[in-house]
Amino acid sequence: GENVEQHPSTLSVQEGDSAVIKCTYSDSASNYFPWYKQELGKRPQLIIDIRSNVGEKKDQRIAVTLNKTAKHFSLHITETQPEDSAVYFCAAKSLYNFNKFYFGSGTKLNVKP
Amino acid sequence: DTEVTQTPKHLVMGMTNKKSLKCEQHMGHRAMYWYKQKAKKPPELMFVYSYEKLSINESVPSRFSPECPNSSLLNLHLHALQPEDSALYLCASGGPGDFTDTQYFGPGTRLTVL
């Protein structure tokens, strides 16, 4: 089955700096890659996603890039703010097992004011 | 409406109790999921229903029993749980298929087993 690895496990940045979180996947049939933000005690919230026919997608301060050849995708947050502090999870879904999402282990992002 | 609702928000139960968790969505999604999440860990898939039929059971112990009465509702029946079952239980819904695969989570039920 699919295996998703996520790095780093923790990330501290100064307010206003950029943050990058990286994930790799193993199944070349994976074709959908969402990113979730989970604040303490809250639900995972979809913040951005990308499909395999696209290399990059941007939504204001958040962007995701996908390299299908290398099987990795990354979340980029620019001009970080304290409210960006949370745990971020990447995930992948296969074209052939389309009901199952495989999650990365999570990155705890701390934005220092 | 992109909301998935869950009740109750919190549940404390003894090891001999029987309780149920409920989940509801009105987005027309035909796939519904139960996840278990421990602190600082990613959601761990338990069950998937597709078109009201159980399509994935991730070898979950029989003390957890899912039910999908209709396309909008999902229940998780709990019986004879163990303290290690204490966790956040998340429901999610999404489209089964390649083009409507965005998954939305409910707020979760924080379960404590004494």
Side-chain angles (χ1 to χ4, degrees), chain B residues 16-90:
Chain B
T16 58
N17 292 157
K18 284 185 182 181
K19 297 286 184 181
S20 296
L21 309 185
K22 297 185 184 301
C23 174
E24 190 167 1
Q25 59 91 12
H26 294 287
M27 294 178 277
H29 291 160
R30 302 311 297 269
M32 295 186 76
Y33 306 75
W34 280 116
Y35 288 90
K36 173 183 177 180
Q37 188 178 31
K38 291 279 202 179
K40 302 181 182 179
K41 297 289 186 182
E44 179 185 340
L45 184 65
M46 300 174 72
F47 303 103
V48 181
Y49 274 83
S50 177
Y51 290 92
E52 295 101 72
K53 288 188 172 22
L54 184 65
S55 65
I56 297 177
N57 177 342
E58 293 287 277
S59 303
V60 178
S62 59
R63 57 185 183 268
F64 296 91
S65 175
E67 179 195 19
C68 190
N70 59 54
S71 60
S72 299
L73 293 174
L74 186 65
N75 298 322
L76 186 63
H77 303 297
L78 313 173
H79 174 54
L81 294 192
Q82 304 297 310
E84 58 264 29
D85 297 322
S86 298
L88 179 67
Y89 287 83
L90 293 161

Side-chain angles (χ1 to χ4, degrees), chain A residues 46-106:
Chain A
L46 179 70
I47 56 170
I48 197 165
D49 56 10
I50 192 166
R51 289 180 170 79
S52 58
N53 59 346
V54 175
E56 184 173 359
K57 184 176 177 182
K58 192 173 181 181
D59 183 3
Q60 299 183 337
R61 297 186 296 108
I62 294 173
V64 56
T65 57
L66 171 65
N67 183 327
K68 282 193 298 182
T69 304
K71 295 204 203 90
H72 67 70
F73 56 112
S74 299
L75 177 70
H76 305 255
I77 306 174
T78 58
E79 300 171 24
T80 53
Q81 301 167 3
E83 51 265 38
D84 294 329
S85 296
V87 178
Y88 291 81
F89 294 103
C90 64
K93 196 172 84 161
S94 171
L95 176 64
Y96 300 112
N97 190 0
F98 49 74
N99 279 335
K100 188 166 180 177
F101 288 78
Y102 295 84
F103 283 85
S105 54

